[in-house]
Amino acid sequence: MKYPESAAKDKAQSPPRTGPASPEELLAVAVAVVRPAADLARQMRTDGVFGVSTKSTDTDVVTAADRAVERYVAGALSAARPGDTILGEEFGAATADGPEPAGRASDGGQRVRWILDPIDGTVNYLYDLPVCAVSLAAEVNGTVVAGVVRNIPTGGEWTATRGGGSYADGRRMTGSEQTVFGQALLATGFGYARERRADQARVLAGLLPQVRDIRRFGAAAVDLCLVAEGKIDAYYEQGLNLWDHAAGGLIAAEAGLLVTGLEGKPAGPDLVLAAPPVLYPPLHEALVALDAAGGAGR
Ligand code: IPD
């Protein structure tokens, strides 16, 4: 199979930009880039998983497909929006086109950074389980304003723009209507380091008797979209990287959920908590009582 090449060679055909891009325009770019990227990942999975190596621990895997998707997305973004910067899971911070811009006058001082997880849920991808996604967010001057998460095996797609709501395959999402914490179905995930996992198991053991049940799907970006859809009632996880939650966090927030860290902190590596306003206080309280953002897991 011949995989699509980087779109960088089309760059010369990009029309010159004038004025700042709106969240809707950035979302349109993101969706146009993520669809073929997810197709690439799916085709590579059909052809077999190659180039598997490990990163932070011996269970934290990366495949040739993670790298190929990141390269493809970087090339396509560079072609569509030269000069924007990109933060990607596999290659870190890279500028799409030369040194990091300060925000050009022609764009009204707008600095755009793209935040990419080429395959969120790489272990599911490795095992051919149907929950893994390309996740891409656009951040303008430090604020995420647009995001798309596309499930690789199914083609399911979730999108959001800041202030414009969030959608699952075009349907507006509003989160769960569950009001009783004891009836809530939660999702969470676990990191790759053994000490962190042991502490996450401790928190889980304290939470499990208080709620209906807990799910572990294996892709944080998809967890956040499922909570936006109301297919699970709330989600929390310690130790996420920005690329895991940038797009999904906006999608959950635009569905009306509260997306934060603990005790007034923003969502971040200490903790990401996403819950409808009614379920948020009891879940937040339970996570604080269990020291879910601290302990040996930090
Ligand atoms: C992982 C997944 C998983 C979560 C981990 C993440 P990756 O991302 O989102 O669900 O529990 O914390 O690291 O490594 O598959 O991109």
Side-chain angles (χ1 to χ4, degrees):
M1 139 95 197
K2 188 167 173 352
Y3 300 120
E5 307 228 328
S6 151
K9 62 178 185 302
D10 301 331
K11 187 151 97 181
Q13 289 148 28
S14 306
R17 279 181 280 144
T18 50
S22 67
E24 289 71 25
E25 287 166 330
L26 294 170
L27 179 63
V29 171
V31 168
V33 169
V34 159
R35 287 181 181 173
D39 288 346
L40 169 62
R42 193 172 59 246
Q43 185 58 54
M44 289 185 79
R45 186 66 190 73
T46 303
D47 292 353
V49 178
F50 298 103
V52 182
S53 54
T54 56
K55 299 190 290 185
S56 62
T57 73
D58 59 2
T59 53
D60 181 8
V61 287
V62 57
T63 71
D66 294 77
R67 298 190 198 93
V69 169
E70 185 152 328
R71 256 185 238 109
Y72 174 79
V73 171
L77 288 175
S78 169
R81 295 193 43 90
D84 291 354
T85 58
I86 301 171
L87 173 68
E89 177 173 15
E90 308 311 337
F91 302 124
T95 303
D97 188 37
E100 180 158 358
R104 285 154 299 187
S106 63
D107 288 352
Q110 187 182 55
R111 274 182 300 112
V112 176
R113 180 171 74 152
W114 297 91
I115 303 164
L116 168 70
D117 193 337
I119 301 182
D120 184 44
T122 305
V123 173
N124 282 348
Y125 185 81
L126 186 67
Y127 282 76
D128 208 9
L129 294 171
V131 183
C132 52
V134 182
S135 170
L136 182 62
E139 190 190 64
V140 172
N141 299 341
T143 301
V144 175
V145 301
V148 55
V149 174
R150 188 169 176 93
N151 198 34
I152 293 164
T154 65
E157 187 175 271
W158 300 270
T159 57
T161 50
R162 185 161 293 276
S166 60
Y167 295 83
D169 299 316
R171 274 176 297 106
R172 182 101 192 216
M173 297 189 288
T174 52
S176 160
E177 290 177 0
Q178 180 59 258
T179 56
V180 181
F181 184 53
Q183 296 292 314
L185 182 63
L186 307 188
T188 191
F190 310 118
Y192 292 108
R194 288 180 205 292
E195 316 73 59
R196 167 161 287 156
R197 294 169 76 79
D199 199 57
Q200 287 171 324
R202 176 191 62 75
V203 173
L204 186 73
L207 208 48
L208 192 53
Q210 301 186 47
V211 296
R212 180 193 295 274
D213 209 342
I214 301 215
R215 296 287 180 267
R216 197 297 195 235
F217 294 110
V222 176
D223 289 328
L224 285 159
C225 295
L226 293 176
V227 83
E229 264 194 275
K231 288 189 171 170
I232 48 177
D233 296 315
Y235 164 77
Y236 75 94
E237 183 167 346
Q238 186 192 35
L240 291 182
N241 291 298
L242 186 55
W243 45 77
D244 296 313
H245 68 89
L250 178 68
I251 290 166
E254 285 295 325
L257 281 81
L258 297 171
V259 182
T260 71
L262 288 191
E263 300 184 293
K265 285 197 181 164
D270 286 351
L271 202 92
V272 174
L273 159 56
V278 179
L279 295 180
Y280 181 91
L283 179 55
H284 181 271
E285 194 184 319
L287 291 170
V288 170
L290 289 161
D291 191 22
R298 182 166 280 168

